Amino acid sequence: LFGAPSGYAMAAQRRMYEYGTTKEQLGHVAITHRYHASMNPNAVFQTPITMAEYMNARWVAEPFGLLDCCPVSDGGAAYIVTTEERAKELSKSPVYIRGIGQSHPSWEFYRRPDLAASGAAASGRLCFASAGLKPEDVDFCEIYDCFTIVPIITLEEYGFAPRGKGGLLYQEGETRLEGRLPCNTSGGLLSETGMPGTQLVCEAVRQLRGECGARQVKNPEIGLVSQQGGILTTHATMLLSMDRS
């Protein structure tokens, strides 16, 4: 049990054992995020993948194959946080931070009572409460997706699906651009890569401004961004909108 791939793989195995999450559902995460990356000219990986290609990818740490794991690559992303007054002086319309939450279990995951839990549940509650919003108000999500199991756990803990049902959101196409909750519209860490976390904020801002072209979510008002560190060790959540109230 050494390093991030094997650690997250153990969490995935536990989720599969306890709640019936399947290898195919993990595959739908990789396939969906790659589908979105195929419409992103800045993505490192733009070629769509099939379920057969996913299932045949070489093993890294069971149940993860190569396509379950975010690659290591170069990249850069940045955003500016400033006052409302200064933001309004700039050439583009500002995007407002509506809510923020953090929760950090901060101990080795294999010592936890629940190996597959993260800080998303508490972080999400704090974020939604600070914004005065609910999960059903969210139009799209940019979820930290270092491994395919993470978006499934995160969406469940945020309240978008019951425990054990997050994989169905991907399997049934709900998280695709045409679905009710598009996720990782840039391709995320799994396919856009190189800028862990920061590019998710940038993509959310672009989506809210309507700048994403072929991968644009239709008329989004509220976007959610998640960040994570360690092996399900730290977690942060942010809600963004074009409207400050």
Side-chain angles (χ1 to χ4, degrees):
L1 190 61
F2 178 79
S6 59
Y8 277 97
M10 183 64 77
Q13 291 278 43
R14 190 65 187 176
R15 205 71 172 194
M16 296 166 88
Y17 172 77
E18 288 188 304
Y19 299 107
T21 302
T22 66
K23 173 72 172 168
E24 288 77 12
Q25 288 172 348
L26 297 179
H28 281 291
V29 175
I31 291 167
T32 298
H33 295 186
R34 181 66 65 85
Y35 165 64
H36 294 156
S38 73
M39 295 175 273
N40 180 4
N42 292 320
V44 174
F45 297 102
Q46 300 178 31
T47 303
I49 54 177
T50 65
M51 183 61 74
E53 289 170 330
Y54 166 81
M55 296 297 284
N56 290 326
R58 68 171 176 84
W59 288 109
V60 173
E62 193 175 354
F64 293 157
L66 186 65
L67 297 175
D68 289 288
C69 311
C70 71
V72 177
S73 65
D74 291 334
Y79 51 85
I80 298 170
V81 181
T82 187
T83 64
E84 181 177 9
E85 291 73 21
R86 291 193 68 186
K88 287 182 176 179
E89 295 174 354
L90 302 177
S91 59
K92 291 189 177 183
S93 299
V95 170
Y96 293 92
I97 298 172
R98 294 286 299 275
I100 290 178
Q102 296 184 53
S103 177
H104 311 305
S106 297
W107 70 89
E108 295 293 347
F109 85 99
Y110 52 79
R111 295 179 180 173
R112 301 173 195 167
D114 185 349
L115 290 180
S118 78
S123 176
R125 283 196 300 271
L126 290 168
C127 185
F128 282 112
S130 69
L133 297 169
K134 299 178 181 179
E136 50 265 35
D137 296 318
V138 174
D139 297 304
F140 67 91
C141 294
E142 307 297 340
I143 303 292
Y144 197 91
D145 58 337
C146 50
F147 297 91
T148 51
I149 190 60
V150 176
I152 292 174
I153 293 173
T154 303
L155 290 174
E156 290 175 3
E157 294 198 350
Y158 280 160
F160 291 107
R163 282 285 182 100
K165 303 298 183 183
L168 287 175
L169 292 177
Y170 278 92
Q171 185 175 335
E172 295 174 357
E174 298 282 2
T175 56
R176 285 196 164 225
L177 196 60
E178 315 81 41
R180 68 178 177 90
L181 188 68
C183 289
N184 292 49
T185 51
S186 68
L189 279 69
L190 286 169
S191 288
E192 187 181 30
T193 76
M195 306 149 280
T198 305
Q199 85 271 32
L200 301 176
V201 179
C202 293
E203 176 70 7
V205 170
R206 293 186 186 113
Q207 285 288 348
L208 290 166
R209 286 176 173 163
E211 298 174 342
C212 291
R215 68 180 193 280
Q216 178 63 49
V217 175
K218 185 177 180 180
N219 301 322
E221 296 182 3
I222 304 291
L224 181 150
V225 183
S226 79
Q227 304 288 321
Q228 187 172 280
I231 301 173
L232 301 170
T233 303
T234 65
H235 198 96
T237 315
M238 182 162 60
L239 288 163
L240 300 171
S241 74
M242 294 293 290
D243 185 354
R244 69 188 303 271
S245 59

